Amino acid sequence: MPALPADMATPHAAAQSWSFRVPSPPRIIVPPPVLNSHGVPDLHVVQDGSYDFESSGFKNAEFLQTVTYGNFMTINNMLEWKYEQRRMAQQVLPFLYLGPMSAAKDRDFLQREGITMVIAVRNTMSAQAKLLTSKAVQELGINTRMIDVTGNQELIAAFPRAIEAINSHLSAMYQQDQVRPAQAATTGQVHLRSTPGKVLVFCESGNERSATLVTAYIMAMYATDLIKAIQIVQAQRFAVAFDDSLRNLLLTYETILKAKRDVVQADNRSLGVPGGVRDPSASVESDNGARKGSKRTFDDTYDDDMEVDGGNVHLDYGRFEMRDGSAPFQDRPMV
């Protein structure tokens, strides 16, 4: 008996056309920012007075409400961007700069802008070769922090310690500036000029790893969503390049931040805080005792999650409600 043709060997056929590529998440499209009446991108970094810094996971960040001077609008360099600017650093926030390795080696830039700390985001191979180091930074006595990763996927684990390093440095500089008037009065000297902390974040090009870190900082400290944070960074440094992997990494980080905020707000609501947002003037220590006693037991969590209806455990039917019910295969017509 002759063999059936390959397409007739089975009684079933694919209901849709198949693709044989590796599955990938949907692309994240970042649209151009909305223009205001003057034709300028309308991008504002908003420091909301009611924002609970505790929910960001960085307990020493309340001082940002003072050092950022409230709300401010970014400079929006994208309309006047010149190709040569890719070799320079740009100011993204009043205290945060983004640029390439060449900016960290530019002594004039470091002195002119008053950079007090640099953060190098580099590959571990570059670290072993002692690359991305700056002689000018060392000679000027500028604080240095290295963030070494073997690949872009490790950036998400590096975000918290990099953000904490930035905040700790800014906080220390802010505290120093607060005691200077008292020191001047004690010594009889003229009050020293204020030198607020300023941080330069850089990588080889200033367009990928360091840009991703600066974007993550804005997302964490200003409760900004992924799309707007990328637009803000790109408005200052038009050369940044967020490929699909970096965008999805930032999307994952956004999910983590939202989960942290939800947990903190739920804990605050259990303490009777209106809206789940704690008063920034309230001390964190005063809540520690109540927080320790408010932890839920496993049995409480299990009872809340498992809904019983008529003796049957309610299953997760919601995941299937929006499916169209199309089958992957269909019967071949009989010839």
Side-chain angles (χ1 to χ4, degrees):
M1 180 178 179
L4 293 173
D7 59 350
M8 295 293 293
T10 63
H12 307 292
Q16 292 90 18
S17 59
W18 289 22
S19 62
F20 296 92
R21 62 179 175 82
V22 177
S24 60
R27 298 199 64 185
I28 300 174
I29 306 300
V30 180
V34 177
L35 302 182
N36 60 20
S37 59
H38 301 287
V40 178
D42 190 13
L43 293 173
H44 294 260
V45 180
V46 179
Q47 184 61 78
D48 188 354
S50 64
Y51 174 51
D52 183 8
F53 278 108
E54 183 186 358
S55 64
S56 68
F58 306 99
K59 301 295 180 60
N60 64 336
E62 286 84 353
F63 75 97
L64 285 179
Q65 291 179 331
T66 301
V67 299
T68 56
Y69 309 106
N71 303 339
F72 56 89
M73 186 177 68
T74 55
I75 302 172
N76 298 315
N77 289 326
M78 61 193 324
L79 298 181
E80 301 178 357
W81 178 263
K82 295 180 177 59
Y83 184 73
E84 294 76 14
Q85 290 180 275
R86 75 191 192 280
R87 302 188 184 93
M88 309 173 186
Q90 284 75 39
Q91 185 183 45
V92 180
L93 298 175
F95 52 83
L96 193 61
Y97 291 71
L98 170 64
M101 175 62 192
S102 57
K105 295 182 177 181
D106 188 344
R107 177 188 290 267
D108 292 337
F109 162 77
L110 297 173
Q111 291 181 315
R112 181 178 66 254
E113 298 298 327
I115 301 298
T116 57
M117 181 182 187
V118 297
I119 296 181
V121 188
R122 58 184 184 177
N123 188 279
T124 51
M125 299 293 291
S126 300
Q128 294 173 0
K130 296 183 179 181
L131 300 178
L132 269 72
T133 57
S134 170
K135 183 178 180 181
V137 168
Q138 296 175 355
E139 291 177 349
L140 293 174
I142 298 175
N143 293 333
T144 305
R145 181 68 180 267
M146 301 295 182
I147 304 296
D148 299 334
V149 294
T150 57
N152 288 346
Q153 291 303 318
E154 290 189 6
L155 281 173
I156 197 168
F159 288 158
R161 66 176 184 269
I163 294 173
E164 190 63 43
I166 294 173
N167 288 342
S168 297
H169 175 73
L170 294 175
S171 180
M173 296 296 294
Y174 177 72
Q175 294 299 327
Q176 290 179 14
D177 188 59
Q178 296 303 301
V179 301
R180 280 175 180 163
Q183 291 178 343
T186 302
T187 59
Q189 298 177 351
V190 179
H191 173 48
L192 300 176
R193 185 175 62 89
S194 175
T195 54
K198 292 186 178 181
V199 181
L200 168 65
V201 182
F202 71 95
C203 60
E204 291 90 340
S205 65
N207 299 331
E208 297 179 2
R209 291 191 179 101
S210 57
T212 304
L213 174 55
V214 171
T215 303
Y217 184 89
I218 295 174
M219 292 169 60
M221 302 316 305
Y222 294 92
T224 305
D225 64 78
L226 164 65
I227 301 300
K228 183 178 179 180
I230 291 179
Q231 290 176 335
I232 290 172
V233 174
Q234 192 171 40
Q236 311 313 307
R237 183 169 176 80
F238 193 66
V240 295
F242 297 95
D243 60 18
D244 288 342
S245 64
L246 290 176
R247 294 183 187 188
N248 280 287
L249 184 143
L250 287 170
L251 179 62
T252 301
Y253 187 58
E254 181 180 39
T255 303
I256 294 173
L257 290 174
K258 287 181 178 179
K260 288 182 177 180
R261 291 174 187 135
D262 289 344
V263 170
V264 171
Q265 290 178 5
D267 289 345
N268 287 339
R269 281 193 292 269
S270 69
L271 297 174
V273 179
V277 179
R278 185 176 59 83
D279 184 0
S281 62
S283 63
V284 177
E285 291 77 5
S286 62
D287 295 338
N288 287 341
R291 290 182 186 277
K292 290 180 181 179
S294 63
K295 286 188 176 180
R296 304 168 68 194
T297 65
F298 174 80
D299 291 336
D300 292 336
T301 305
Y302 185 83
D303 291 340
D304 290 345
D305 291 342
M306 303 302 289
E307 299 179 6
V308 180
D309 184 11
N312 296 323
V313 177
H314 177 71
L315 300 178
D316 185 16
Y317 293 116
R319 294 187 296 120
F320 305 97
E321 291 179 352
M322 302 303 294
R323 298 192 179 184
D324 56 11
S326 60
F329 294 96
Q330 61 186 359
D331 295 335
R332 293 184 183 277
M334 300 300 293
V335 179

